Amino acid sequence: MPLTHEEFAGLTHLGSGKVRELFAVGDDAVLLVASDRISAFDVVLPTEIPDKGAVLTGLSLWWFDQLADLVPSHVISSNVDEYPAELAPYTEQLRGRSMLCRRLDMVLIECVARGYLTGSGLKDYNRSGAVSGHPLPEGLVDGSKLPTTIYTPSTKAPIGQHDENISRDDAAGRVGAELAAELERLTLQIFGRASDLAAERGILLADTKFEFGHDAEGTLRLADEVLTPDSSRFWPEDTWAPGSSQPSFDKQFIRDYLVSTGWDKTEPGPELPDDVVEATRARYVEAYERLTGISFKDYLSGA
């Protein structure tokens, strides 16, 4: 049965994202619950991917630990046995797919880093020879490694609408020059750390997006999910071959399937066949296991 906020009727529901449900816990905390929903081209599809929410949660928690010396996260706890008493009736629904987090005043841009050219960055490059104001060399193709990692912020669009790449100047105009500079510094620093860790495991981090927010004391924290197959493109290093769509550990597999159907990328999205669902789940689980070195079954049993 799909996980929706109706399952948690006794809690104060703050909102639904493409994947997550958000609930108030007291005055200072929020509960993030990752469903098994999947979106593509900014449309939530009607078919779910089993265990996807647990993969996103477990992988995010692992990355938050790897990055803790660079930037604090919003996580208070992911141990359901430590949650406040009001959450006790929902322990089993929450186990493995939830995080109790600090309330943050979210920064209203998404912070994107790109080490390789693909996706919307490739479209911008083919149109203008640049991505978010970064001029790039001629002759790059889908999957090309960029001369250096670039920071390409984007808008954060409502569900059903498309995020749009914006320039660094535009980002500074939206959030202020000082904060924009700090977001760029952190984004590139985190991306560098994550790229190195992924490379040690035979995985290329092509691009990713981060979200940040300020807590009640004004501390800037890394928030939401981080470096998951939903927010990132992960490619096997041994099959990387610029010039076409890359084999991946992320939802590019679903994007490619949807393009093959001729779908016009508007709601409602099409149902996914069983073989696509199973192959997508396998890619998500493999991403978790290869990056963390932890069996996904062990994560579930220990959550």
Side-chain angles (χ1 to χ4, degrees), residues 29-188:
V30 293
L31 180 71
L32 267 66
V33 185
S35 73
D36 293 333
R37 297 190 295 267
I38 193 162
S39 67
F41 306 108
D42 293 310
V43 173
V44 178
L45 303 178
T47 312
E48 296 197 336
I49 307 299
D51 294 321
K52 174 175 170 286
V55 170
L56 301 186
T57 302
L59 195 50
S60 291
L61 291 166
W62 185 83
W63 279 115
F64 284 134
D65 285 344
Q66 309 308 308
L67 303 169
D69 62 316
L70 301 181
V71 59
S73 80
H74 64 158
V75 178
I76 298 171
S77 176
S78 61
N79 184 343
V80 293
D81 298 321
E82 297 176 353
Y83 285 0
E86 67 192 274
L87 302 181
Y90 313 102
T91 295
E92 292 313 309
Q93 294 104 305
L94 298 176
R95 193 179 300 278
R97 62 170 67 242
S98 65
M99 299 184 291
L100 186 67
C101 302
R102 292 169 178 82
R103 280 188 186 246
L104 300 181
D105 181 15
M106 297 300 295
V107 177
L108 296 181
I109 61 172
E110 293 189 337
C111 298
V112 181
R114 303 177 187 272
Y116 294 78
L117 187 64
T118 193
S120 64
L122 176 65
K123 293 179 181 177
D124 288 351
Y125 170 78
N126 287 338
R127 183 173 59 248
S128 67
V131 180
S132 293
H134 296 274
L136 296 174
E138 294 182 1
L140 300 182
V141 296
D142 192 356
S144 289
K145 182 175 175 59
L146 298 176
T148 187
T149 303
I150 59 174
Y151 173 66
T152 63
S154 72
T155 61
K156 184 168 175 56
I159 293 177
Q161 298 183 28
H162 298 289
D163 298 337
E164 294 182 3
N165 294 337
I166 57 176
S167 69
R168 294 146 78 203
D169 287 344
D170 192 357
R174 292 168 184 252
V175 303
E178 183 176 353
L179 178 56
E182 177 68 358
L183 293 171
E184 179 171 356
R185 183 190 69 80
L186 282 172
T187 297
L188 294 176

